[in-house]
Structure formats: structure tokens, C-alpha cells
Amino acid sequence: MQLGLIGLGKMGGSMAERLRLGGHQVVGFDFNADAVARLTASGNVGVSSLEDLAQNLKGRRAIWIMVPQGDPVDQTIAKLEPLLNPGDILIDGGNSNYKDSMRRSKEVTAKGLQFVDVGTSGGVWGLKEGYSMMIGGDKEPVEYLRPIFETLAPAADKGWGHVGPGGAGHFVKMIHNGIEYGMMQAYAEGFTILVKKQEMALNLPQIAEIWRYGSVVRSWLLDLIADALGRNPTLAGLEAFVEDSGEGRWTVMEAIDLNVSAPVITESLMRRIRSREVNNFTDRMLAILRSEFGGHAVKKE
């Protein structure tokens, strides 16, 4: 089966390679000429424009979009629509807001095309391990794309599924990432408590390896922790600066809208935001207040 792919970054490139190994042909476009060249060298087809991409796809065309969420997705869809035929399928596999995906689904369908939103998890490990895919859209295009999903998934019958109508795939992925924030924060706090118990001289790589087997806290995240600590037990050379890609924020806002208490996910998001602040104003305000009412010492720069 052929698949058009727009966006050949780390994840897009890995997906293209997994599809090639699974017997599918990818026709790919990226503004990075080197990425296009690598795709061609791997045995797929790299093209230099969206027009070339559409022309190189035969029969009913399916095009997977892997670009940053927001306006880039809308611009890409707008440029593709005149190049496509009724029944062709547009797939958004990026980290779009589910509300945008609901809107795009209605707009694209009204023009005679099909829209499928795929919340995709797996990152750079997807080539080896497979991708987890949460899929929204009408049943017919999802079934048509089944060979693609079965190839990208960890197994044909595992790690992917049609979860609901347009927007549902990205909604489920948003909640997935919110949960991920909380899990990562809990691991980080736990290992920090271990390292602070200096008199016990605990071996963090060893503990991570112990927990990986038989423990109720074992997970793929813990596997990654064990691997990272094995290479750098003290995390030397790393700055305590943690970005967020947006899904955690959207999850917190959704929880508020639905009157759902989600303190762990919310606090994990706040901790990421806090990590980016040097000489935090909030903490300086706390310090001066303690000095004002209690005469406590204040450290100066």
C-alpha cells in the first residue's frame, strides 16, 4: 500500500522506514532536502513539492501529515485539498488539539475528502518497538488504512484502535500525555529522595534495574530511566529545564471544564513550568516575607 507522508523529522523518518520494512511504499515531502534525500536512499520516494507528492500517489490517496500543531496543519491541508480527489484521505498524526481536529474533520468531509486523526506515541523508539495509535474518524477510512496501522503498531492486533469520531484520537492522546506527565514526575521525585539519602550511598542504576522486573511500578518509562542512569548515574551535565509540548496544558484545562479533580497532572505541569525559571520571583517573594514578619535571614546575590 502507498502512503504520502509530509514531515520527515525523527518520528516521520522512523515511521517511513518501518512502513518500508513492512512492504509499503512511502512518498515523502519535507522542506529539509537532506531528509528527502535520506528517504529516497532508504528505498522510498522523496519529492520536492506537495504537487509532486500528490502526483506520485496512485489510486485512492492517503496522506499522513506530521507537522507542528496549529496553523501549519491548516496551511498544509489547504494546499493539499485542490490536489486531491473525492474520497482521498488526510491523516493528522501530529500533536494537534482535539478541538482543531473536530473542526478539520467537519471541514474536510464537507469538501468530499476524508479526515482521520491519529494520536501517535512511540517517538524515536517507534521504528524498533512500534507505535501506539489512538485513531479518530469515520469507520470506512480507518478500515481502509488498516494495513498501515497494523504495520506501524507493535503488532497487528495490539497497540492501536479506532476510539471514536473525528477528534477522538487526539483527545485520547492528550489524556495519555497528561498521565505521562504525572508518571514522569513521580519517578523523578522518587529517585531524588533516593539520591538525597546520602548516608546509604544508594546505587540508582541498580535500583532502577531491580524495579524493572516484578515490581508494580515497572514500565517502559522505568526502562528508559534505567538506561539513562546506566549511562550517566548522576545526570551530570544536564540542566534542570523541562519543556512541555502542550498536551499536558490541554489536559488540565479539559479537567477544569469537566469539573474533574486532576491534582497530580496539574502539579506535574506546574513543576515543568517552574523548572524553566532561574532565581524565581515567587521564591524571592517568599524569602522577603519571612524576613519581614520573622526577621529571618535573606540570601543576597
Side-chain angles (χ1 to χ4, degrees), residues 77-145:
I77 290 174
K79 292 176 182 177
L80 284 170
E81 285 174 338
L83 307 174
L84 302 179
N85 297 321
D88 288 347
I89 307 168
L90 292 172
I91 308 150
D92 181 4
N95 288 323
S96 290
N97 188 298
Y98 81 94
K99 294 178 181 178
D100 287 335
S101 296
M102 292 175 67
R103 168 180 58 81
R104 290 171 186 140
S105 180
K106 292 178 181 179
E107 293 173 350
V108 167
T109 302
K111 296 176 182 178
L113 303 173
Q114 298 285 343
F115 181 87
V116 174
D117 56 291
V118 182
T120 310
S121 181
V124 297
W125 290 86
L127 174 59
K128 177 183 177 183
E129 304 289 341
Y131 298 90
S132 173
M133 292 168 291
M134 300 136 264
I135 303 164
D138 291 339
K139 182 178 180 180
E140 189 278 328
V142 172
E143 282 300 311
Y144 179 81
L145 294 168

Side-chain angles (χ1 to χ4, degrees), residues 178 248 251-256 259-269:
T251 301
V252 171
M253 289 187 284
E254 195 69 29
I256 293 169
N259 287 319
V260 174
S261 175
V264 172
I265 295 173
T266 303
E267 178 59 21
S268 66
L269 172 64

Side-chain angles (χ1 to χ4, degrees), residues 207-242:
I207 293 168
E209 286 293 339
I210 292 171
W211 287 353
R212 287 181 65 201
Y213 303 97
S215 166
V216 295
V217 300
R218 65 187 184 273
S219 73
W220 185 51
L221 286 175
L222 185 58
D223 294 342
L224 297 177
I225 289 171
D227 185 58
L229 289 175
R231 298 192 310 268
N232 187 355
T234 63
L235 305 185
L238 296 177
E239 185 178 350
F241 187 100
V242 187

Side-chain angles (χ1 to χ4, degrees), residues 279 284 287 291 296-301:
N279 200 15
R284 284 185 285 151
S291 175
H296 301 284
V298 177
K299 290 185 178 182
K300 302 291 184 66
E301 292 180 352

Side-chain angles (χ1 to χ4, degrees), residues 289-298:
L289 283 172
R290 291 185 77 245
S291 175
E292 290 293 325
F293 72 71
H296 301 284
V298 177

